[in-house]
Amino acid sequence: MAKATDGEVNEKKISNSEEMDLVLDGGFVVPNANAFGHTFRDYNAESERQEGVENFYKTNHICQTYDFVKKMREEYGKLDKVEMGIWECCELLNNIVDESDPDLDEPQIEHLLQTAEAIRRDHPDEDWLHLTGLIHDVGKILLHPKFSKLPQWAVVGDTYPVGCAFDDSIVHHKYFKENPDFKNPKYNTKNGVYSEGCGLENVLMSWGHDDYMYMVAKENKTTLPSAGLFIIRFHSFYAMHRSGAYKHLMNKEDMENLEWLKIFNKYDLYSKSKVRVDVEKVKPYYLSLIEKYFPVKLRWFTG
Ligand SMILES: O[C@H]1[C@H](O)[C@@H](O)[C@H](O)[C@@H](O)[C@H]1O
Ligand SMILES: [Fe+2]
Ligand SMILES: [Fe+2]
């Protein structure tokens, strides 16, 4: 595993392009608009997805409390309900669309493969990162009716710490006013229940597919490196990796892993498109990676 040095710093604009698309070092072209003709992650742009996404965040911000997260972690951490292989789960994502995403309305299996394939082209030697791309959103399996009864607000969307003040940079921040924790002096100060530099592993994040998949991967004894697990666990924490918030809770190891997360994020976000990957064609490669880093069957909690 090489050192993560070519993150955000090497993102540059093509000077002679009128469209001002962005190019990453490895050649990945970052489009300047999403599939709906808007800038990526524009939560206020008038688009066919805007209203649904805003409603999603309203419920998410009201319902994700410290107590809720604690309860979900304990319950879903049991991982005692079913045994399934990773690829099987990826295939179940064929019917799942994420209501929180302004940039994508394709089935999630497409997003997994688009992310993984984009990474693979630019970083051919980092096979752990290809696999991380493939599985980072597999926790969205919680949206599958056969798997759990959880609503979208408890599975997808950006994540953020609970138990301390909600940062202003969080998408649709205004809806936190209706969250019971917002007025609770135990939870609404800068550090809240945490201490300076305690490390993100000690911070409770809003509950969703990131933390769930992290627990599944770890408890099933994956051999992915710590950067891979960090990416799975915090890739939706945009306030941290994009806006630079919550630094006061991070430690040295978090800062190192953040470099890989920043690299990963470009592919996660900007590979979203209507161009489909040929699933059958790439399947053997990803099966070989799954075999390298995971047991054949994993234990999951379904709820
Ligand atoms: O990691 C992403 C990201 O945080 C998006 O903003 C969100 O809409 C998706 O649900 C999630 O998978
Ligand atoms: Fe995600
Ligand atoms: Fe993703």
Side-chain angles (χ1 to χ4, degrees):
M1 180 176 146
K3 215 173 165 345
T5 49
D6 49 348
E8 219 153 31
V9 275
N10 283 347
E11 183 185 288
K12 53 183 177 281
K13 285 183 176 156
I14 314 174
S15 49
N16 60 358
S17 159
E18 266 180 28
E19 293 188 314
M20 302 286 269
D21 284 351
L22 297 171
V23 172
L24 297 182
D25 247 5
F28 177 70
V29 177
V30 176
N32 72 333
N34 67 14
F36 306 92
H38 301 285
T39 341
F40 282 83
R41 291 182 61 81
D42 184 341
Y43 288 86
N44 297 312
E46 261 180 55
S47 97
E48 58 193 87
R49 296 196 58 73
Q50 199 281 331
E51 197 185 335
V53 172
E54 181 159 350
N55 283 334
F56 163 89
Y57 274 107
K58 181 172 182 194
T59 320
N60 172 279
H61 289 359
I62 296 173
C63 299
Q64 292 272 357
T65 60
Y66 188 79
D67 288 346
F68 171 75
V69 172
K70 264 202 119 143
K71 205 182 86 205
M72 295 306 274
R73 270 208 187 179
E74 271 158 32
E75 207 177 332
Y76 281 76
K78 291 186 210 141
L79 304 178
D80 60 356
K81 292 281 192 231
V82 290
E83 292 207 337
M84 266 166 82
I86 295 222
W87 185 261
E88 228 181 306
C89 290
C90 293
E91 283 183 342
L92 280 183
L93 290 173
N94 211 356
N95 298 313
I96 304 293
V97 174
D98 180 334
E99 288 173 11
S100 71
D101 199 331
D103 303 314
L104 189 72
D105 61 359
E106 294 293 308
Q108 283 294 310
I109 190 171
E110 289 302 322
H111 169 58
L112 295 181
L113 291 170
Q114 285 170 345
T115 308
E117 285 289 284
I119 296 172
R120 187 177 167 196
R121 277 190 291 273
D122 282 3
H123 300 273
D125 299 330
E126 312 287 351
D127 71 352
W128 64 275
L129 198 56
H130 312 164
L131 183 59
T132 302
L134 180 78
I135 68 169
H136 77 283
D137 275 342
V138 167
K140 290 180 188 173
I141 190 83
L142 290 173
L143 291 175
H144 199 286
K146 281 201 194 133
F147 210 85
S148 103
K149 306 265 175 304
L150 287 183
Q152 292 256 345
W153 67 261
V155 179
V156 296
D158 288 359
T159 58
Y160 41 83
V162 292
C164 62
F166 302 113
D167 190 78
D168 286 352
S169 63
I170 301 167
V171 168
H172 293 306
H173 175 270
K174 61 176 186 276
Y175 294 117
F176 283 123
K177 285 197 193 85
E178 293 174 58
N179 182 311
D181 290 357
F182 187 81
K183 291 200 180 79
N184 187 335
K186 235 165 67 186
Y187 300 141
N188 67 6
T189 59
K190 187 174 175 205
N191 284 338
V193 298
Y194 310 109
S195 55
E196 196 94 14
C198 64
L200 292 181
E201 69 170 316
N202 295 307
V203 171
L204 286 195
M205 300 295 296
S206 55
W207 176 254
H209 65 284
D210 299 43
D211 227 8
Y212 177 61
M213 193 57 209
Y214 164 76
M215 275 177 358
V216 169
K218 196 168 150 74
E219 295 307 319
N220 284 287
K221 310 234 175 323
T222 180
T223 50
L224 277 174
S226 104
L229 286 167
F230 186 88
I231 289 169
I232 293 168
R233 196 175 194 182
F234 299 112
H235 72 270
S236 303
F237 190 4
Y238 273 80
M240 183 269 294
H241 65 72
R242 174 158 289 216
S243 309
Y246 298 103
K247 287 242 159 59
H248 55 287
L249 299 179
M250 294 170 75
N251 62 22
K252 197 170 153 262
E253 199 187 333
D254 293 332
M255 293 313 265
E256 281 162 21
N257 283 330
L258 175 59
E259 292 311 305
W260 277 112
L261 175 52
K262 283 184 173 173
I263 293 173
F264 171 85
N265 178 249
K266 305 297 172 200
Y267 302 99
D268 181 15
L269 179 57
Y270 298 113
S271 70
K272 289 173 185 172
S273 83
K274 298 269 172 200
V275 184
R276 298 226 166 171
V277 176
D278 184 340
V279 181
E280 289 312 311
K281 198 168 147 212
V282 298
K283 182 173 166 182
Y285 176 66
Y286 290 104
L287 285 179
S288 75
L289 293 189
I290 292 170
E291 201 187 333
K292 180 170 171 190
Y293 290 99
F294 280 95
V296 181
K297 296 267 180 204
L298 283 73
R299 292 175 297 113
W300 309 74
F301 187 87
T302 53

